[in-house]
Each structure stands twice: as C-alpha cells, then as structure tokens.
Amino acid sequence: MGASMSEVLPMLLVLPEDVLIAPVREFPGEVRQLLGTGEHDYAVSRHNARETTRLVSSEGAGLLEFFRRPTTIVQAIIAFSRERVIDPEATLERALPLVTEFMTAGFLVPAGSSRRQRTETSLAPGSTWRQYSVIRCVQVFEDSEVYQARTEEGQQVALKLSRPGFERVLAWQVRREVAVLASLDAPGDARLLEHGSVEGQAFIVTSWRQGTDSDVVAAELRKTGSRQDLLALLQGVAHAYASLHARGVVHGDVHPRNVLVDRSGAATIIDFGLAIVRSDPGSAGQPGGIGFFVAPETAEAWRSGQTPRPVDECSEQYGVGALLYLLASGHQYVDFSLQREQMLSQIVEELPVAFAARGLDPWPQVEEILTRALDKEPVRRYPSVTAFAAALDAADPGDPLAGSAVASAQRAIQPYLSELVADLDIDGTLFRDGLPQGPICSVQLGASGIAYALYRLASTLDEPRYLALADVWIARALRDVGRDDAFANPAMQLMPVTVGRISPYHTSAGVHLVHGLIGDALGEEDVVREAVHAFLHESAQSGVGRDVALGPCGTVLGCALLLQAIADISASDRQALVDAGRARLTALWQETAALGPANGSGVWANLGIAHGWAGLVYVTLRWAQLDAEIGSFLDAARSRLEELLGAGWSMGRGLVVSWQDQVGPSDRWMPGWCNGSAGLVHLGCVAYAVLGGERYLDFAERAAWAAWESEPGIVDLCCGLAGRAYALLALHRVTGAVAWLRRATRLTEQAVSLATGQRGPERPRHSLYKGELGLGVLIADLEQPAHASMPMFGPEGASR
C-alpha cells in the first residue's frame, strides 16, 4: 500500500469489552469444517454485533491482542514487531488492511467511544420510555435496540431506538421504513404509529406483529408435520414477498428472522430499514443483508471490488429462493464457508446441493422450482416472485416427512416406559430397600406418587398387574406415614412449615386420596369410605397460603378428583366431599374479594396455576362442573380470569404471563405447569368448557404455543417437558387438532432423551412430579390421547 508510519493518524483505538479472540482448532469439528480455515486461524467475534464473526491468521490475532488497552496503530505495530522480531515498516504495510477492516466492522473503536462498552440494553422491563411501558428487549445491536412495549391503552407495540453514536444511521433507516410502511396497508402489515427523534435519539414505533421466526417454524414442521404443511409454509413466504413486490417495494434484507409466521401459518415480513420503494428513486442504496441470501450478481460485484446495483425484484427472488431452500431442508443451498471471499465465490459459482446428497428424502418438484429461482443467470429465473409463488402453489407435496407419524414416535419411546416400570416391581431394590431419601410417602416425591402412577398405567394400558402393584405401594405409604421422613426432607426445604399439613401433593392427605382412587379401581367400597374420611380429616387443618400446591385450593381440587373418579360413592360420603369443597371455596373467595387486581396489586403476587390466582380460578371452574350451587362465585372467577388475560403479552406465536411480582410489566415467565404457560392452557380449556366463549379457547391455544416454543429444559411434570406435553394434550382433547398431539409427542421424545442426564437427589427417578414417573404416565397416555389427563390435577376416572 506504500504507507509509512508518518501517514497513520495517531488515534487511540481499543477492542470493545465483549470482543473474543479464540483459536479455531478449539471449535467442534463441524464448525471448523464450516469455517473452512487452516489449523492456525483464529475467530474474532463480538456479541450483538451486526457482523458477529471474522477470521484472521495467528499473526492477525496476535496484533489485535495489543488493542486490549487503548493504543495507536503505530504503537501496536511497534510492540507487535518487537515481540516477533520483524520489520515494523513491512508489518505496517501488511496490517493496515486488516486494521481498516476491523474498524469498519466495529471490532476496533476509538478509545473514548461509547461503543467500547459491552452492548447492554438501555431500558429494563417495567420501565417507561415516553408513554410506552417496556415489556422486554427483543434484540440489541451496537447500533440499535428493539423492545416490545405497551401503550397507555394496553396496545402492544415494537419500539426501535438508536444507540449512542448511531443516531444518524438509524434516522436514515427510519426514513426508509416510514416510506415503506406508508405504502403498505394490507391487514397483516405492521402499522406505523410514531417516529422521530427525542434528544437526538432516533426512534420508530410500529404495531406489534405476533409470530415466530420462519426457520424455527420450518424446523418444527420438518420434525412434527408433513410435507404438505411444509409446502404451505414455503408458499406463504413466497406470496408474502410477491405481495411486497406487487406494491412496489423490494425488501432488500432477506433472511429467516425477517419473516414471522403466526398461529394460522400466515407469513409477515418485517424490518424495512434497507427496503427500496420503486416510486422513490432516492430510496435505492447499496445492497445489504446477510451474505447467504444475496444474489450472484451482487456477490460478483463485491468480489471484484465494484459497486453493485441496488437490489431489485429479480435479485431478491434469488434471496427468497435461498431462504425457501433453507426452510425446506434445514440447510443452506450451498455449504458456505464463513470466509468472506470464499463465500462470495460459492455464491457466484456453486449450484444448490440436491436434497438426497444431504441425506434427505428427495423432493423433486420443489427442488426443481427452487433451483430455477436460484439460477446464476437472472434471465433464467422466474419472471417474477409472483410466478415463483404460483409454481410452488402447483407443486406436489410428495410423501410425508420421515418420522412425522405419531405412532412411530410412540413406538420409539415405549421401551423407556417398560424399563421405568420394571424398577417398581416388588422384587426390585427400590421396593426391597425403600426409597433412598425423604419424603418417602408423598405424592410428589414418594411412595403414594409411585402408587398413583401405577394406578394410572393400569387404567390406561388395561394391565391388572400394575393395579395390584399400585395397591402394594400405597400400603407401603400408609404404613410409613408416621415416620419423620414421610413428608420431610430438610435438604430440599420440605418441612411442615414450608408445605403445611393439607397439601394433596406433600402430606398424608394425598396418600389417602390415592388410596381412595386405588380402592375404587379394585371395587373395595370399605377402602374407599375409609380413604375419603381420612382425606377429609387431614384436609380440615390449616394450610400454607391459599394455593393448589400447598393450600386450600388443593383441598378443593382433591375433593373434585374423588367426586369425579368414584362413580359409586355413597350419598353421605359424596355430600361430605361436596360440603368440604364448597366450604373451602367459599372461604377462599371471601378472603380474596378485598384483594387488589390479580395483575398488579402485589398482595398475592403469584399468578400461576400451582401457587397463584390461576389456580384459584381453575379449581373454581372445575368445581362448577360438579356443584351447581356455587354459581355466585362464577362472576368473581370470570373477573379474575379477565385480569389474568390482561396480564399477558405476545411471545412468538404464543401468549405468556408473568408469574410473580406483577406490579407493573415484568418479563418473568416460565413455560411449565406450576408457574407458567402450560398451567394456563388447562385454565383456558376449563374456562371454555364452563363459561363458553371462543376467547378462552384462544387464550388456551396461545398459552400452548408458548409452552411448545420454549427451550427443552428439564423433563418433569411440575416445571418441565412432561407437564408441557400434558398441556398440549389438553388442548388436543378440546380441539381435536392432530398438530397438538404431534407436538406433545415431540416434547415427550425430548424428555425421554434428556431424562438420564438429569437424575439426581433433587430429581429422583421414582418421583411423580419431580422425576420421571409422570413422564411414564404420559407415554402411556399418548396411546389414548383422547383420555389423557395431567396426573393428580386433571379429571380422573370416567371424567378422563
């Protein structure tokens, strides 16, 4: 380059705090293959940067390390050259392009710049920006951050703000986005609500578009759907881009996160910061976006050092073809290198890989359509994306995706159930030696939970042997109820002071409840009578709090379970259960009547099904199915239910509700049963059954989407995958939609695959709610999904 030291500006530069430099040889083999690098190459990455990874040689990595502290280019070159004993003038000439590249990419910044700090969000959940209440941060980059927020009227919005130093950049993008949104008016389009600048900070506010990234939806369909479902997704995405082009807009930034898919399968394109409006010549700028989705003509210009033409409908068709190939196969159309020059050459030269070469079932007609859209020569592509979409509309979906059948998945997990039950036999060590730790008798963690699981398996699988084994285990629990460790384990913070004395899940009340269920299944009327009386006696004590898991809501639910399960119960015992449940419910509603709103008072902060307001409403609606005389409570239950619905916000295709500390908006939520979305599915389903109204079924469905779309996590009934799967089965029972059965089966498969690695003292395998027994009952229930019911929570007996 012919530069000398005297020509280099003496600016202090520094690596931002969150820049990482790591040798590629430490990466997994598949990542090294993707990077396509030599053994001595290094990866330079920055969290939340637009360009997250760059590759350098070991010499380049060594030079960059000298910028951990503020230094000039000259100082860094001299220090590096002394360390390596090399000529600093020659090093400067070789290093300047590297330094310039990393400055442009934001990996080297001026020492006094705010860009030096780790990229953090500037607004916290629950805070207020102007008139908008922040729900959560959706994404944060070094130049901008996007939030989900609420207006004062409760409308959900997307709020995009510039970050310090990037006000002009975002203002330019906002002007583009405003021009585009002003020209879009279809029902599915985002609406522009406000834009401008406040104290120099550029912003734009649009209506919130609910949905999940298109690649996430496609991955789901490849695992749990059919090729008909997957083809419908490809068609929807293609038509979304065709609709934009028909209205004179080229998006300019094709990638899967810019296409949201809602619950109905409709695709919505978002983020128009790089878009071009055909009627506005001034909107045409340089192509941007993700390299994998750029057209060969753009890649060739970049490779040649020329200025590429602005993106048009034809070049965007190529990007859409690349996106649809990814959605259909789960792979990029070429096995790209992450080295920029090599990647550009692949875009220009390499043809799409056939599905069969990737080990996928061939899809000839769809592959042929995608290959035409991905033609290197623009004139050989479809005349328009509209024509491209029409070709997909006429395509044959072909055979179902491999492994999508529910029956096939169920067969694959059956051996796990057989092996799990074998551990419970009377000649096994678990029965002979006893449970290794307390609580040894409780439903949640002990022998009565084992007895209950066997009782359910006997009923579902029509296995009398399991019922006999259940009877043995419940006898063991009844024998040991007086032991110190019957319902206690200080190491797990399970003591009378924490779990109380009436919980069906943690105390002797639950042992007697299970004893009654088993006695009814065996046809032993005396056992049933004795068990009901014992349950009512134990439940008459004071509880801890109000909730289902520990307090009197659990007593009401226990009475309901016995009333629903035991068809031939005596009139006197039935009346005793009704009186007990009604009295508890009356006291609960009298106590809570004076409390503030469920979604903001902070008096009873928990909103979940096991420990909060959702549980009270749920047991009230369950009780209403049995007792016509509690109609006076239904209005109160409906009112509290409306408060719970109002506390939710959109997440992907679903709805989530903060489970605690609901004084103002909060982003604390869970997918599981006890405190999260899975429990709300049950609430929505029973509300639909008792109160009617499609909005309650819609609430259940949106909560189910949230339970489905979350990361796998733990496997159990209480907080994990098994409880989430039961929520999806509950929705399947109400709607009959096979898709929810498929998703429940998929969650069950995930739980089985993770179970072995999660066993431990706090998650013993033999526990119904905290271990794997609930998962075993779930596997059996998948064989008769129309009768599936969450253990010790959903309807029992004939009501299942």
Side-chain angles (χ1 to χ4, degrees), residues 78-93:
I78 291 174
F80 176 75
S81 300
R82 285 175 178 170
E83 181 182 90
R84 301 293 177 103
V85 193
I86 55 179
D87 178 27
E89 290 281 353
T91 302
L92 173 64
E93 186 167 346

Side-chain angles (χ1 to χ4, degrees), residues 428-441:
T429 56
L430 193 63
F431 187 83
R432 184 184 67 244
D433 299 337
L435 302 184
Q437 64 177 4
I440 63 171
C441 292

Side-chain angles (χ1 to χ4, degrees), residues 578-737:
V578 169
D579 290 343
R582 189 183 295 165
R584 284 291 196 184
L585 204 55
T586 300
L588 281 163
W589 282 110
Q590 289 175 343
E591 179 185 350
T592 57
L595 299 183
N599 61 345
S601 70
V603 177
W604 189 7
N606 197 297
L607 303 185
I609 203 89
H611 299 289
W613 284 100
L616 173 57
V617 178
Y618 174 81
V619 299
T620 302
L621 296 176
R622 282 284 302 277
W623 193 259
Q625 295 174 313
L626 300 167
D627 183 5
E629 295 186 24
I630 65 134
S632 59
F633 298 139
L634 285 183
D635 287 341
R638 184 184 285 107
S639 176
R640 295 300 189 182
L641 178 58
E642 292 298 326
E643 292 172 355
L644 290 171
L645 268 62
W649 68 89
S650 297
M651 178 75 73
R653 286 171 285 183
L655 176 82
V656 299
V657 174
S658 178
W659 63 275
Q660 199 176 49
D661 297 333
Q662 191 64 17
V663 180
S666 168
D667 66 347
R668 300 179 65 186
W669 70 278
M670 297 179 179
W673 168 81
C674 58
N675 287 310
S677 299
L680 299 180
V681 178
H682 296 283
L683 175 60
C685 287
V686 73
Y688 176 67
V690 175
L691 303 176
E694 292 294 327
R695 61 192 309 270
Y696 297 128
L697 185 59
D698 180 73
F699 174 69
E701 183 178 347
R702 295 178 69 190
W705 277 113
W708 159 247
E709 290 187 331
S710 300
E711 293 298 316
I714 57 180
V715 306
D716 63 31
L717 279 179
C718 182
C719 310
L721 288 163
R724 288 159 59 186
Y726 266 115
L728 306 193
L729 287 177
L731 189 60
H732 167 68
R733 287 182 63 180
V734 173
T735 65

Side-chain angles (χ1 to χ4, degrees), residues 73 173 217 253 284 381 442 530 536 626 758:
I73 298 175
Q173 293 182 359
V217 176
D253 191 9
R381 297 172 199 155
S442 75
E530 176 187 346
L536 292 174
L626 300 167
Q758 295 189 6

Side-chain angles (χ1 to χ4, degrees), residues 118-289:
R118 185 180 303 273
T119 306
E120 303 285 357
T121 59
S122 59
L123 301 178
S127 64
T128 300
W129 189 86
R130 299 181 71 219
Q131 71 269 36
Y132 303 104
S133 179
V134 175
I135 296 173
R136 64 186 177 103
C137 180
V138 178
Q139 66 182 23
V140 56
F141 291 118
E142 59 180 344
D143 58 354
S144 63
E145 46 198 26
V146 180
Y147 295 90
Q148 184 178 4
R150 279 194 182 97
T151 66
E152 294 172 342
E153 295 75 28
Q155 178 187 3
Q156 293 185 49
V157 300
L159 168 65
K160 181 187 287 188
L161 302 172
S162 64
R163 292 180 60 82
F166 292 92
E167 292 84 359
R168 291 185 178 181
V169 174
L170 188 66
W172 172 77
Q173 293 182 359
V174 166
R175 285 195 295 271
R176 276 196 172 192
E177 193 147 5
V178 168
V180 172
L181 293 176
S183 67
L184 301 179
D185 57 1
D189 295 329
R191 291 183 296 106
L192 176 66
L193 301 178
E194 187 183 8
H195 68 94
S197 177
V198 176
E199 297 181 354
Q201 185 176 36
F203 73 92
I204 184 171
V205 182
T206 63
S207 59
W208 182 260
R209 297 304 306 160
Q210 185 176 28
T212 297
D213 294 347
S214 58
D215 56 339
V216 175
V217 176
E220 169 197 330
L221 294 177
R222 292 194 302 270
K223 293 175 181 177
T224 66
S226 67
R227 273 196 162 157
Q228 180 67 63
D229 300 326
L230 190 55
L231 179 58
L233 174 64
L234 305 185
Q235 293 164 344
V237 173
H239 278 289
Y241 281 98
S243 176
L244 274 186
H245 291 182
R247 290 177 284 172
V249 175
V250 179
H251 185 255
D253 191 9
V254 175
H255 69 76
R257 292 192 304 279
N258 277 344
V259 181
L260 297 181
V261 181
D262 67 15
R263 291 180 293 149
S264 70
T268 299
I269 300 173
I270 61 171
D271 196 349
F272 294 95
L274 297 177
I276 297 172
V277 181
R278 191 186 302 124
S279 61
D280 178 12
S283 70
Q286 294 301 310

